[in-house]
Amino acid sequence: DAGVIQSPRHEVTEMGQEVTLRCKPISGHNSLFWYRQTMMRGLELLIYFNNNVPIDDSGMPEDRFSAKMPNASFSTLKIQPSEPRDSAVYFCASSNLPPSQQFFGPGTRLTVL
Amino acid sequence: KNQVEQSPQSLIILEGKNCTLQCNYTVSPFSNLRWYKQDTGRGPVSLTIMTFSENTKSNGRYTATLDADTKQSSLHITASQLSDSASYICVVSRLSGGSYIPTFGRGTSLIVHP
């Protein structure tokens, strides 16, 4: 298995633009997590899905952020409009039903100018 | 408030030496505690997981301890290697409404010098 796949690996955009991050979880995993990591705040859980259904989105910072999981093999995290303070590394992770080990993807480094 | 505090924030040691990282938490109700290793530019990788009834768990040169009474955990690294240079993150999960909600520590940055 290739592990969790994220794309793009790097994204540089201008303030106000829409950004879409993509994630393909490990086949057979039924839980998917989106995290954000910054130097100031460390790792933060944004949202997680179980069997494609959002379970907890209390970590989503504001309405500019939205996440979808249309099927078991794909999820997106969208920021619209983006702001410089959204600059961070965004990780996707998948697992079997928690508290099983989460496997993290390589992350997407987002820079909003 | 659910919090996870790690110390020290950073640590520099010589190759071959041992070290211990600390994690204190106030997460409740406690479900499990994980230690992750995160290499620069990569996602975290799980080292150990401990539940309420477990006091010690080892993974090679890594040994984690848990004191559920004092809400403290430690990660001991034996005979450190250059490849141990990384950030070590303590994550404590609670069970809420049927879901496991993780709370992350800020991590300890470990540098192992030759």
Side-chain angles (χ1 to χ4, degrees):
Chain A
D1 197 320
V4 176
I5 299 173
Q6 290 187 248
S7 65
R9 292 295 310 276
H10 302 274
E11 176 81 27
V12 180
T13 189
E14 292 186 340
M15 182 174 63
Q17 297 298 306
E18 177 180 298
V19 174
T20 300
L21 311 181
R22 298 173 177 78
C23 175
K24 176 178 169 56
I26 292 173
S27 177
H29 283 183
N30 55 20
S31 296
L32 183 140
F33 307 77
W34 281 103
Y35 294 92
R36 177 172 66 177
Q37 187 175 38
T38 62
M39 288 292 292
M40 292 298 295
R41 301 170 68 94
L43 262 170
E44 302 172 278
L45 175 64
L46 300 177
I47 184 171
Y48 91 85
F49 295 84
N50 190 30
N51 292 322
N52 311 339
V53 176
I55 301 300
D56 187 334
D57 64 355
S58 59
M60 296 286 263
E62 48 197 273
D63 291 345
R64 297 185 297 107
F65 285 68
S66 62
K68 294 182 179 180
M69 191 165 186
N71 56 63
S73 59
F74 183 67
S75 176
T76 60
L77 177 67
K78 184 177 294 186
I79 308 173
Q80 167 63 22
S82 58
E83 297 182 2
R85 60 193 170 115
D86 301 330
S87 297
V89 180
Y90 291 81
F91 287 102
C92 175
S94 72
S95 73
N96 287 319
L97 193 65
S100 297
Q101 178 185 346
Q102 293 181 28
F103 292 84
F104 282 75
T108 295
R109 181 173 293 277
L110 173 66
T111 302
V112 183
L113 303 175
Chain B
K1 186 176 180 181
N2 295 300
Q3 289 185 316
V4 175
E5 300 289 340
Q6 291 188 242
S7 63
Q9 187 174 4
S10 61
L11 183 62
I12 301 173
I13 62 174
L14 292 176
E15 187 178 11
K17 298 296 185 182
N18 304 334
C19 68
T20 300
L21 314 180
Q22 300 291 344
C23 173
N24 297 337
Y25 62 92
T26 59
V27 176
S28 182
F30 175 86
S31 173
N32 63 78
L33 184 149
R34 280 190 187 277
W35 283 94
Y36 282 88
K37 178 187 178 188
Q38 185 175 20
D39 292 313
T40 301
R42 292 179 171 270
V45 175
S46 179
L47 294 174
T48 63
I49 179 172
M50 303 180 73
T51 57
F52 187 86
S53 59
E54 296 176 297
N55 301 118
T56 303
K57 184 162 282 188
S58 293
N59 178 2
R61 295 179 296 103
Y62 301 101
T63 299
T65 65
L66 174 65
D67 185 334
D69 292 330
T70 62
K71 299 187 176 182
Q72 295 179 327
S73 176
S74 66
L75 180 69
H76 186 74
I77 304 175
T78 304
S80 60
Q81 300 176 358
L82 299 180
S83 60
D84 294 330
S85 296
S87 180
Y88 291 84
I89 303 170
C90 176
V91 184
V92 183
S93 293
R94 69 186 191 276
L95 189 59
S96 176
S99 301
Y100 291 90
I101 310 298
T103 302
F104 290 80
R106 294 288 305 277
T108 292
S109 176
L110 174 66
I111 297 175
V112 180
H113 276 311

